[in-house]
Amino acid sequence: MKEVIRFFDCFAGIGGFYYGVQQIKSNKYEFRHVAYCEIDKSAQKFYDVACSSEGTQKIQDVKDIKTKKNPNGIMVSDFDILFAGFPCQSFSNVGYRKGFDDPRGQLFFYILDMLDYYKPKYFVLENVQKIHTIQNGSLLDEMKKALCEIGNGYILHTWNLLASDYGLPQKRNRIFFCGIRKDLTEPKGISEPPVVDLKTAKYPTTWHLLEKGAVDPKHYIPQGSRRTILTKPSNWEGDVNIDNAIARPLTATMAKWHRANQDNYFSEAYIAGTDPYVRPSVNLDTEPIRRITPLEGFRLQGFPDKYAEIAKNLKLAYSTQYKLIGNALPVNLAQAVIEHFLNSYL
Ligand SMILES: C[S@@+](CC[C@H](N)C(=O)[O-])C[C@H]1O[C@@H](n2cnc3c(N)ncnc32)[C@H](O)[C@@H]1O
């Protein structure tokens, strides 16, 4: 009999964790989706179609969940593993260092409160890697300490991973915190999930996933903005390279026509070319150049093509789609981390 692992997908977005676990095939365990929490209405609409199964509990605001500090809140259905890609804004301005008595303002505290109250067997949390650099790394140390000590204590593994090491042509770094309740096992050292050779992946480069046919003209850089987008200001670091075989990290604001050194643009010459690793010589004044389409965005994050159909059927604006895609957790990372972590213990 397989062990059933009931999961609560918190800060669910469009379901990077959800779709990641659907890809895991194990003869020891299987997943059951019991609850999800997401505050954004567009993400909810999307998730309800793409991910929610019948009987899945839906909670809108994590602040409404029952915990010791919120005894009248909504009780989450029993779950064994908590998934949470908590919003990174939590760390940008509020004084985490004030400690756990800090007025509620940071969503990481809600994760701690849930672990303290529900004491799930496992958790997998995800965030931007820049946490490393905040307060010279002391914030990360405090977070790890808190996660080890919360409830009856957890054994913690922390990994910094790059999406392009796990089968997606995108330089997206994420930090993962994987915990197993201390009373369930003995601590052991676990290496990072084994890397995947990108050449063997479904899409080894961006070129492999770019739509080759006509796309909505709205995706082409507007004539009047070309110079701003494609010229490097003299005081800026970095490059303006377009036609990157491995994409820059997708952002939630990619609808805003960022400068080329912050975003992903592709020329028709590259898209129509035959060598994904060669950047054609492109006239930046005249060559048609475009941003990625939502379908390409979903692919770059490891989602199936049907997700683009779902977004289209829901009539989500491009800006909304890009926000949801840019905030998402790459599916391949979710899958690799959860599978490796659980297989190390089960
Ligand atoms: C970094 S994104 C996580 C994305 C998700 N892992 C995915 O694959 O799409 C954080 C999510 O938390 C949601 N969120 C922010 N504040 C929230 C709150 N108070 N309660 C529930 N969800 C919240 C945001 O709307 C956003 O979708």
Side-chain angles (χ1 to χ4, degrees), residues 53-123:
S53 351
E54 208 173 313
T56 307
Q57 183 184 16
K58 174 174 170 178
I59 300 165
Q60 312 221 11
D61 192 338
V62 76
K63 295 174 186 166
D64 295 336
I65 290 176
K66 181 169 181 172
T67 61
K68 277 184 200 159
K69 290 177 189 155
N70 185 20
N72 299 320
I74 302 162
M75 185 77 188
V76 184
S77 309
D78 289 345
F79 59 98
D80 303 298
I81 188 163
L82 171 71
F83 296 136
F86 48 109
C88 11
Q89 302 88 290
S90 328
F91 300 104
S92 49
N93 43 29
V94 194
Y96 177 85
R97 290 179 68 85
K98 283 186 203 154
F100 296 102
D101 298 327
D102 198 66
R104 313 333 306 272
Q106 295 185 37
L107 296 164
F108 180 65
F109 289 121
Y110 291 89
I111 294 179
L112 291 177
D113 291 347
M114 286 188 284
L115 294 175
D116 191 29
Y117 185 73
Y118 295 94
K119 300 182 176 53
K121 291 180 183 166
Y122 325 97
F123 61 77

Side-chain angles (χ1 to χ4, degrees), residues 14 42 45-47 49-50 294-295 298 304-318 320-322 324-325:
I14 54 171
S42 312
K45 269 210 264 180
F46 189 94
Y47 193 97
V49 177
L295 173 63
F298 283 115
D305 288 3
K306 71 171 185 208
Y307 275 37
E309 275 305 302
I310 293 173
K312 203 166 155 193
N313 293 340
L314 289 170
K315 299 192 174 25
L316 299 181
Y318 285 142
T320 306
Q321 295 190 50
Y322 288 129
L324 297 175
I325 294 167

Side-chain angles (χ1 to χ4, degrees), residues 181-195:
R181 229 172 49 208
K182 231 161 62 180
D183 59 293
L184 297 175
T185 186
E186 290 300 312
K188 58 165 93 164
I190 315 178
S191 57
E192 292 179 351
V195 299

Side-chain angles (χ1 to χ4, degrees), residues 240-260:
V240 290
N241 288 342
I242 62 167
D243 296 334
N244 287 310
I246 311 295
R248 295 189 173 94
L250 302 188
T251 72
T253 54
M254 56 190 143
K256 287 193 176 165
W257 298 111
H258 296 130
R259 287 180 190 272

Side-chain angles (χ1 to χ4, degrees), residues 11-16 37-40 60-62 85 87 107 126 327-329:
F11 305 117
I14 54 171
C37 176
E38 172 54 57
I39 203 163
D40 180 272
Q60 312 221 11
D61 192 338
V62 76
L107 296 164
E126 168 264 331
N327 272 335
L329 165 65

